[in-house]
Amino acid sequence: MTDARAPESLTVRLGLSRAGGFALNVDLSLPGRGVTAIFGPSGSGKTTLLRCIAGLEAGATGELHVNGQTWLGPGVCLPTHKRPLAYVFQEASLLPHLTARQNLAYAARRASGRGTGAAESPGNASAVGEQDVIDRMGIAPLLDRKPGQLSGGERQRVAIARALLARPRLLLMDEPLAALDAARKEEILPYIEQIRDLAGVPVLYVSHSVTEVARLADQVVAMNEGRVVGQGAVAEVLSGLDIALPEGEDTGVVWQGPIVEQRAEWHLSRVACAGGDLWIQQGAESRLGVSDGEVRVRIQARDVSLSLKPFEQTSIINHLPAVVESIYETSDGAQALVRLRAAGQPLVARITRFSAHHLGLHTGQPVWAHIKSVAIVR
């Protein structure tokens, strides 16, 4: 059903109650293109939200409008098979008796026979060519193998290719790397990064990995206990001091910018970020397949120290002026998270409460941020 709302947007107002007290209650307006990460700890409702969007939860109520089409609303409830979406699960759900090539063909046939006419609608992935998908996913050597003959990473790449060839108007990805080891994750991440160019449709990507979110997402929706606790650009949401992070992960920010200088003698590259220039290790961008000179970096709070005055006699090479925006004392009573603004961009420092007291930190105070380490993520 066609809806009069802006064609390049998603409206997601969904509710669901389950036995045991869990309740999903979200009200979101999301961009109609790019990758939106659904982020949060286990049990926060990320997968449940995707299942409601896919029509897999019979008790879901509310409204769902996807790029000009109403899937759920007053008098409308499209069944799953009529919702022009593709779903990539944690475990690649390929048909085991078919080869990779036959799995792709099956998806293409389903797209051609979809009864809603959505496959021909503007804003979906109907223009994606099969050979282009095969080439970009790097699966040409795998086409004549059955799923049982593929590694976990290879199966997931075929599953992603199959999802794209289904010509969806919305692509749902539910922790597609969760079942893979670290090496296989690194193998497949560059392929997932290409989805934006290949699909041309919105992608909702569920994850509880800060690294994946920092590398892949354009927007982030942070969830906890079935509700949205943060939404917006990656840099803003990941710098939030109150979002729940997986054990071992630290809060931080994601910045990006072009590489504007190379110092071969020191193996360093200078990145011109909106918050200030940063020096990074030269060569990291080539290992991640960066070809356009634009990189995305993550600065963890633990790698940022503060001073009231600039100083040069130090091994730290990244120094930026900033202003204290807020101070949050951590639950252990020993540390403080200081949210800053550097040329308008968010930045977070994790320091001891003693240091915060010793420096007399307060909202609005100008400081210098010294960044010990910068991790390039894309």
Side-chain angles (χ1 to χ4, degrees):
M1 177 178 177
T2 302
D3 185 79
R5 289 169 175 79
E8 290 289 314
S9 66
L10 277 67
T11 301
V12 183
R13 299 190 185 101
L14 294 171
L16 177 71
S17 296
R18 282 184 173 159
F22 176 82
L24 180 77
N25 188 354
V26 300
D27 187 345
L28 292 167
S29 179
L30 302 175
R33 298 180 71 85
V35 177
T36 297
I38 312 298
F39 173 77
S42 298
S44 60
K46 305 183 300 295
T47 294
T48 300
L49 174 59
L50 253 63
R51 287 179 56 82
C52 289
I53 291 171
L56 296 173
E57 294 287 350
T61 60
E63 295 184 46
L64 178 60
H65 310 278
V66 179
N67 283 353
Q69 285 192 334
T70 297
W71 293 5
L72 178 66
V76 179
C77 183
L78 290 182
T80 299
H81 70 277
K82 287 193 174 181
R83 298 188 185 194
L85 59 83
Y87 205 134
V88 179
F89 297 89
Q90 292 182 18
E91 293 281 355
S93 54
L94 301 174
L95 297 172
H97 61 289
L98 300 180
T99 64
R101 189 191 309 275
Q102 290 167 333
N103 267 278
L104 299 184
Y106 177 77
R109 285 197 302 273
R110 281 178 60 88
S112 299
R114 188 180 286 132
T116 62
E120 290 75 36
S121 301
N124 66 6
S126 60
V128 178
E130 180 176 353
Q131 192 58 50
D132 189 22
V133 171
I134 290 171
D135 292 342
R136 297 287 285 272
M137 290 294 106
I139 59 173
L142 313 177
L143 292 178
D144 294 323
R145 301 185 202 169
K146 291 185 177 179
Q149 300 171 305
L150 303 174
S151 70
E154 290 170 340
R155 284 195 299 272
Q156 203 62 293
R157 280 154 55 195
V158 174
I160 293 170
R162 185 182 65 172
L164 293 171
L165 291 176
R167 297 185 288 183
R169 291 180 66 87
L170 176 64
L171 179 56
L172 306 177
M173 305 188 76
D174 188 3
E175 298 198 61
L177 305 184
L180 305 179
D181 59 31
R184 300 291 78 76
K185 287 180 182 180
E186 286 301 316
E187 167 194 309
I188 200 172
L189 271 168
Y191 295 103
I192 294 180
E193 285 178 325
Q194 298 185 58
I195 287 175
R196 282 169 293 219
D197 300 330
L198 281 171
V201 297
V203 179
L204 300 187
Y205 186 98
V206 163
S207 179
H208 63 265
S209 166
V210 176
T211 300
E212 287 178 33
V213 172
R215 182 166 177 177
L216 300 172
D218 302 303
Q219 295 277 316
V220 178
V221 172
M223 294 188 65
N224 199 17
E225 297 182 349
R227 284 168 169 74
V228 175
V229 295
Q231 179 187 358
V234 179
E236 293 290 343
V237 176
L238 291 187
S239 68
L241 305 184
D242 56 351
I243 64 170
L245 294 173
E247 185 177 353
E249 294 275 14
D250 194 17
T251 189
V253 299
V254 177
W255 287 3
Q256 65 183 48
I259 295 174
V260 295
E261 185 180 354
Q262 302 272 11
R263 294 294 299 271
E265 71 272 30
W266 307 121
H267 299 279
L268 294 173
S269 300
R270 182 163 61 91
V271 183
C273 300
D277 288 4
L278 296 173
W279 288 98
I280 64 172
Q281 181 181 341
Q282 193 176 81
E285 65 274 15
S286 61
R287 288 198 301 273
L288 290 173
V290 175
S291 58
D292 58 2
E294 185 90 7
V295 297
R296 181 178 288 190
V297 298
R298 183 161 185 252
I299 307 167
Q300 296 192 88
R302 66 170 67 101
D303 291 324
V304 180
S305 61
L306 302 177
S307 68
L308 300 183
K309 296 180 180 179
F311 54 85
E312 297 180 355
Q313 302 302 315
T314 172
S315 60
I316 301 173
I317 60 175
N318 290 310
H319 312 276
L320 301 174
V323 176
V324 175
E325 188 172 75
S326 61
I327 303 173
Y328 172 79
E329 294 183 2
T330 60
S331 58
D332 62 11
Q335 296 183 316
L337 289 171
V338 183
R339 184 177 167 97
L340 310 155
R341 287 283 165 178
Q345 299 301 303
L347 187 64
V348 181
R350 180 184 293 274
I351 62 175
T352 64
R353 285 181 59 216
F354 171 81
S355 295
H357 172 75
H358 177 69
L359 294 173
L361 296 184
H362 59 269
T363 300
Q365 183 178 16
V367 295
W368 281 85
H370 309 281
I371 301 171
K372 293 172 278 188
S373 178
V374 179
I376 180 169
V377 294
R378 193 184 73 206

